[in-house]
Amino acid sequence: MFAAPPTIETRVFARVPDKYRITGRTSRWIEAVRGGQKTDCFLEGPSFDRAGNLYVVDVAWGRIFRISPGGEFTLVAEYDSEPNGLKIHKDGRIFVADYRRGIMRLDPASGRLSPLLERDRSQPFKGVNDLVFAGNGDLYFTDQGDTGLNDPAGRLYRLRTNGTLDIVLDGIPSPNGLVLGADDSVVYLNVTRNNAVWRVPLSKEGLAFRVGTFIRLSGGVGPDGVAIDDKGGLAVAHLGLGSVWLFDALGEPAGRIRSCAGRATTNVAYGGADRRRLFITESETGQVLVADVPVPGRSMFSHA
């Protein structure tokens, strides 16, 4: 056990404007995930582009927003599906993990989404959740669906630049957010319904071995999104607890960032000109929060 880490406060960076808040109707995702509870938006997947704009997805209503450095929202895309995660490649291309449609590509100019990978060979995905790029361009992503301790059938995939799809690890009870270590030799994987962050070392062939629990959490729903800083420390968004935990490279707690809004702290991204700000999607209130953190973010850009 460790002593309680220091608390870091947040402030509101941006709020979904009223004109983009949908009321008076429901969606397939809202009925399935939130039991029909009124949900005018549900933000996830924060990722910065090269101009310093922050992209976020609205999984509840199939929308993708761009937020300017000044906090102004622009609707980039709206379509009939469930975008869960978003990452921007170092070459500027935008990729979306869509729960129903697999891995998609977004043209930010037209708002058009096109499929990149819709199935695992002959079978559909359970429901892809999040994604991250390796330095060589390989794409790692999680297939979560409704898996949990009662059905540990989630998977971690790698899509190589040559188009080959590998199952890196299966038998996961709810794989969610993920990042790669500095040399791309290990994946840190949030396993939401096990309330833990797993450490997944990768062999020279890129397959998992000696997988273990790196961080064990308690309370809330579980870890959702994760970001990594320049020193290998993790920022873990704890859904349902209204917090983001900061851990150093050894997995020791270094700080607790408390939400100034709701408890649905879903995802995180480092940004800001000095790379010392952590941006947090708080989905309960439809806001993006920001905190000044004591270590620099790994990069303003969203590729890992």
Side-chain angles (χ1 to χ4, degrees):
M1 301 295 292
F2 299 94
T7 296
I8 300 170
E9 302 297 334
T10 56
R11 59 191 181 275
V12 176
F13 165 68
R15 176 186 180 275
V16 175
D18 290 342
K19 66 179 180 179
Y20 291 134
R21 292 178 179 261
I22 297 175
T23 60
R25 56 191 176 98
T26 189
S27 73
R28 175 175 166 179
W29 183 89
I30 292 170
E31 292 299 321
V33 176
R34 293 179 57 80
Q37 179 181 343
K38 292 181 180 179
T39 305
D40 54 25
C41 62
F42 200 91
L43 302 182
E44 299 214 37
S47 296
F48 282 96
D49 69 10
R50 295 184 177 188
N53 298 303
L54 181 64
Y55 281 76
V56 296
V57 302
D58 175 11
V59 61
W61 296 104
R63 299 182 294 179
I64 299 173
F65 294 104
R66 181 175 57 245
I67 309 172
S68 73
E72 297 179 355
F73 275 75
T74 299
L75 179 62
V76 175
E78 184 172 9
Y79 67 117
D80 181 22
S81 202
E82 299 166 9
N84 238 332
L86 183 149
K87 285 293 186 298
I88 302 175
H89 192 277
K90 60 185 176 183
D91 65 10
R93 291 178 295 162
I94 300 177
F95 294 76
V96 176
D98 187 293
Y99 187 89
R100 284 161 49 190
R101 299 191 181 186
I103 306 299
M104 311 280 286
R105 284 185 56 181
L106 169 68
D107 177 358
S110 67
R112 179 176 176 270
L113 286 112
S114 55
L116 175 68
L117 185 68
E118 298 178 278
R119 305 171 67 87
D120 175 2
R121 302 166 184 85
S122 63
Q123 62 179 333
F125 294 118
K126 295 178 179 297
V128 298
N129 186 286
D130 210 345
L131 65 168
V132 69
F133 286 97
N136 66 357
D138 288 350
L139 175 63
Y140 290 80
F141 64 94
T142 52
D143 187 24
Q144 180 188 43
D146 292 326
T147 63
L149 292 174
N150 61 310
D151 177 26
R155 288 177 169 176
L156 169 63
Y157 283 95
R158 176 184 60 188
L159 179 63
R160 304 191 198 194
T161 54
N162 64 7
T164 301
L165 181 65
D166 302 315
I167 299 173
V168 177
L169 182 66
D170 59 10
I172 312 170
S174 189
N176 200 322
L178 70 166
V179 291
L180 285 156
D183 59 359
D184 293 341
S185 65
V186 60
V187 178
Y188 294 100
L189 174 64
N190 282 357
V191 184
T192 302
R193 294 170 193 128
N194 193 34
N195 224 340
V197 181
W198 287 9
R199 184 176 183 273
V200 184
L202 302 174
S203 68
K204 292 182 179 179
E205 295 74 29
L207 301 179
F209 72 108
R210 295 181 178 176
V211 177
T213 298
F214 183 61
I215 297 165
R216 173 66 62 187
L217 302 177
S218 63
V221 176
D224 193 333
V226 59
I228 190 166
D229 65 38
D230 278 336
K231 297 181 180 180
L234 300 181
V236 180
H238 200 156
L239 179 63
L241 206 62
S243 297
V244 175
W245 300 100
L246 300 180
F247 297 94
D248 66 19
L250 299 178
E252 295 189 7
R256 179 180 185 176
I257 301 174
R258 290 186 180 271
S259 167
C260 62
R263 294 183 298 176
T265 40
T266 54
N267 281 268
V268 288
Y270 281 107
D274 55 3
R275 304 179 186 178
R276 291 179 182 266
R277 292 178 181 172
L278 190 68
F279 292 78
I280 307 158
T281 48
E282 199 294 294
S283 301
E284 185 177 322
T285 60
Q287 299 184 107
V288 178
L289 312 180
V290 63
D292 298 314
V293 293
V295 292
R298 178 168 179 168
S299 173
M300 277 188 64
F301 307 125
S302 301
H303 63 281

